[in-house]
């Protein structure tokens, strides 16, 4: 009706013609693409029949020889446009599914980052507060130092949380700011903060380790691994007096070890309690890069968290 009303003032022919046929085919395609599933058949069938009936109602359409010579062309045309609409509908569905997957991956990544930041800083505050409660009367100077560390750790945690909130609001800006800090500087800072009089933490970096060549995903995973290892030592190995972090490269793989000398019996029992999602998120990060993650007691005593990640992971095919 719309197309006929638009052309009736400009052409002499008053019967339906090319305008109506093109309009019907366009409506049929758009219906098959955008209509709700419950209305696709209800709306597309009348359009399909109307397009077929155009052959009988619009003699001007038959002026071209191709329409007269090809049998069933008026059936094939609406069928082709209906299939085109269905194909575009499936493509739209695939794009929406891909967008949902991307959003889900982003949410999981944010959840990992949130756990890494909150668990690390809160655990440090709790452990130092517990230690300060016991040594306040015996060694007031050390207790004051612990409370100073608690204050600094709390401030650092607030800064980390502000960055997380900024990440949710302006992803590109915050990512660019976060990438400005070299990964080795961040790891050394984590080790420095974890080091204390009662639990010495050392860092050993082999000469062949060159973090400047690491892609952002590998650098982020290396930092998270050290952070999670130190956090779990605080949570589950309070009796450990020494923690050693070693980073080395061998056979084209980055190998990271976080070892402590805590009692393996206490440490092992605590690690298998379902107390958090840190190891789950860390294992997902390592798996995404084609690496291997393991944790368990060492024969000589203590506990070890280790990971082996290929340096050329970007060239590997996705799992």
């Amino acid at each position: 009706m719309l197309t006929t009303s638009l052309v009736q003032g400009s052409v002499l022919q008053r019967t339906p013609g090319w305008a109506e046929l093109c309009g019907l085919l366009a409506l049929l395609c758009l219906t098959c693409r955008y209509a709700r599933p419950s209305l696709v058949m209800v709306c597309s069938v009348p359009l399909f029949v109307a397009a077929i009936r155009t052959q009988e109602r619009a003699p001007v359409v038959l002026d071209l020889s191709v329409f007269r010579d090809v049998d069933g062309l008026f059936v094939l045309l609406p069928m082709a446009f209906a299939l085109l609409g269905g194909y575009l509908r499936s493509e739209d569905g695939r794009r929406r599914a891909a967008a949902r997957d991307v959003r889900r991956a982003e949410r999981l990544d944010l959840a990992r980052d949130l756990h890494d930041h909150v668990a690390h800083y809160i655990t440090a505050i709790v452990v130092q507060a517990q230690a300060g409660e016991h040594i306040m009367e015996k060694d007031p100077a050390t207790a004051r130092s612990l409370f100073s560390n608690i204050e600094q750790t709390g401030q650092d945690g607030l800064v980390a949380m502000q960055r997380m909130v900024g990440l949710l609001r302006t992803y590109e800006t915050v990512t660019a700011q976060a990438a400005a800090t070299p990964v080795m500087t961040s790891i050394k800072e984590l080790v420095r903060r974890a080091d204390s009089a009662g639990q010495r933490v050392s860092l050993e970096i082999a000469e062949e380790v060159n973090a400047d060549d690491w892609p952002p995903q590998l650098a982020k995973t290396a930092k998270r691994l050290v952070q999670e290892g130190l956090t779990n030592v605080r949570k589950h190995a309070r009796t450990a007096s020494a923690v050693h972090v070693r980073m080395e490269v061998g056979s084209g793989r980055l190998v990271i070890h976080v070892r402590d000398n805590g009692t393996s019996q206490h440490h092992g029992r605590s690690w298998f309690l379902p107390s958090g999602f840190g190891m789950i998120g860390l294992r997902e990060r390592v798996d995404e890069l084609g690496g291997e993650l393991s944790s368990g007691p060492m024969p000589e005593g203590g506990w070890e968290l280790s990971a082996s990640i290929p340096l050329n992971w970007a060239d590997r095919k996705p799992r």
Side-chain angles (χ1 to χ4, degrees):
M1 292 175 62
L2 176 63
T3 54
T4 302
S5 65
L6 290 177
V7 301
Q8 66 178 355
S10 58
V11 296
L12 297 177
Q13 192 248 323
R14 294 291 186 266
T15 58
W18 287 107
E20 183 183 9
L21 177 61
C22 293
L24 289 171
L25 294 177
L27 287 174
L28 179 60
C29 180
L30 294 174
T31 299
C32 292
R33 180 178 183 179
Y34 293 116
R36 294 196 300 270
S38 59
L39 297 178
V40 170
M41 293 300 296
V42 176
C43 297
S44 61
V45 171
L47 291 170
F48 192 91
V49 174
I52 296 176
R53 292 290 303 276
T54 306
Q55 180 178 9
E56 303 173 2
R57 298 169 47 246
V60 70
V61 177
L62 301 176
D63 290 346
L64 291 179
S65 60
V66 64
F67 282 87
R68 294 192 301 266
D69 298 340
V70 179
D71 294 334
L73 184 60
F74 279 83
V75 177
L76 295 177
L77 275 176
M79 186 178 297
F81 276 80
L83 292 176
L84 175 62
Y87 170 76
L88 295 175
R89 187 187 192 94
S90 64
E91 286 296 311
D92 292 341
R94 277 193 285 269
R95 281 193 293 269
R96 286 193 294 269
R100 285 194 298 268
D101 292 340
V102 170
R103 287 193 294 268
R104 179 176 179 274
E106 289 294 333
R107 286 195 296 268
L108 289 176
D109 193 55
L110 289 173
R112 296 170 188 164
D113 290 342
L114 185 61
H115 172 273
D116 292 336
H117 285 93
V118 174
H120 175 73
Y121 291 109
I122 298 301
T123 300
I125 291 173
V126 171
V127 171
Q128 292 181 88
Q130 291 174 340
E133 182 180 358
H134 293 291
I135 67 174
M136 182 178 297
E137 297 180 358
K138 299 179 181 178
D139 192 351
T142 303
R144 284 194 296 270
S145 176
L146 284 176
F147 287 122
S148 177
N149 291 336
I150 290 174
E151 180 183 4
Q152 182 61 43
T153 303
Q155 292 176 351
D156 294 340
L158 289 176
V159 172
M161 289 301 298
Q162 290 174 353
R163 289 178 179 175
M164 287 296 301
V165 174
L167 182 63
L168 293 172
R169 293 184 176 180
T170 54
Y171 179 79
E172 294 81 3
T173 303
V174 177
T175 302
Q177 294 174 352
T181 304
V183 61
M184 284 303 175
T185 302
S186 300
I187 291 176
K188 291 177 181 178
E189 181 65 17
L190 289 173
V191 172
R192 185 192 66 80
R193 291 175 181 172
D195 187 30
S196 63
Q199 193 175 78
R200 309 305 303 183
V201 181
S202 60
L203 174 63
E204 180 183 359
I205 303 175
E207 295 182 358
E208 62 271 15
V209 176
N210 183 14
D212 296 335
D213 298 333
W214 293 355
Q217 293 87 339
L218 178 60
K220 190 174 183 179
T221 300
K223 176 185 173 182
R224 291 292 184 259
L225 194 144
V226 174
Q227 187 179 54
E228 185 66 24
L230 295 177
T231 299
N232 283 323
V233 168
R234 286 176 172 177
K235 291 171 64 177
H236 306 300
R238 299 177 185 176
T239 59
S241 59
V243 182
H244 183 64
V245 179
R246 175 171 173 78
M247 305 177 68
E248 58 188 3
V249 174
S251 302
R253 301 175 74 89
L254 172 66
V255 181
I256 302 176
H257 302 281
V258 182
R259 299 169 177 168
D260 66 76
N261 62 351
T263 57
S264 59
Q265 180 181 3
H266 171 75
H267 208 328
R269 183 175 65 249
S270 298
W271 269 58
F272 288 101
L273 290 176
S275 58
F277 300 94
M279 285 298 295
I280 296 176
L282 184 60
R283 189 174 298 279
E284 290 176 352
R285 289 182 184 275
V286 175
D287 288 344
E288 288 175 358
L289 302 184
E292 299 173 354
L293 179 70
S294 62
S295 62
M298 296 183 293
E300 64 273 17
W303 197 270
E304 178 185 54
L305 171 67
S306 64
S308 175
I309 306 172
L311 293 173
N312 60 338
W313 66 270
D315 299 331
R316 296 167 58 92
K317 294 182 178 179
R319 290 187 173 186

